[in-house]
Amino acid sequence: MSARIAATAFVASLLAVSPVLAGPIAVPFSPPGSTLALSVADGTMTVSSGGGDVNLRLEPSTRSQVIDKLPRGTKVTVINMVDGGKWVHVKVGDKEGYIARYLLRD
């Protein structure tokens, strides 16, 4: 079942049990292979790698250019989560980039 069909079925089920919904509902759709951005409230997370410094990357990919290396314990400001929550778009100092989610803790 494609993501679009699943989302449509989900919305239809909501309308069936909750007729109060009067207008259309926007359901995000992301074609296969693209990056889906999930917004989160601005907050902070902490670099928590056990293997040394963590790469701050230009794009959410391990093949992307490394902008900076952040030591364990560095606080970063969360801008949003991308790629289904696998990557976190962050700001640290005057730099913005991406860090793999598993390398950060709340």
Side-chain angles (χ1 to χ4, degrees), residues 2-54:
S2 77
R4 184 174 284 245
I5 292 171
T8 302
F10 174 72
V11 171
S13 72
L14 287 177
L15 292 174
V17 296
S18 181
V20 177
L21 299 173
I25 299 174
V27 178
F29 174 71
S30 180
S34 68
T35 301
L36 174 63
L38 302 174
S39 291
V40 294
D42 279 356
T44 60
M45 296 182 89
T46 305
V47 173
S48 66
S49 168
D53 293 346
V54 167

Side-chain angles (χ1 to χ4, degrees), residues 38-45 76-81 89-91:
L38 302 174
S39 291
V40 294
D42 279 356
T44 60
M45 296 182 89
V76 298
T77 301
V78 174
I79 297 170
N80 61 19
M81 307 280 277
H89 185 192
V90 300
K91 182 170 184 166

Side-chain angles (χ1 to χ4, degrees), residues 57 59-66 87:
R57 296 185 177 273
E59 300 286 334
S61 167
T62 55
R63 295 181 178 168
S64 178
Q65 174 186 345
V66 175
W87 288 88

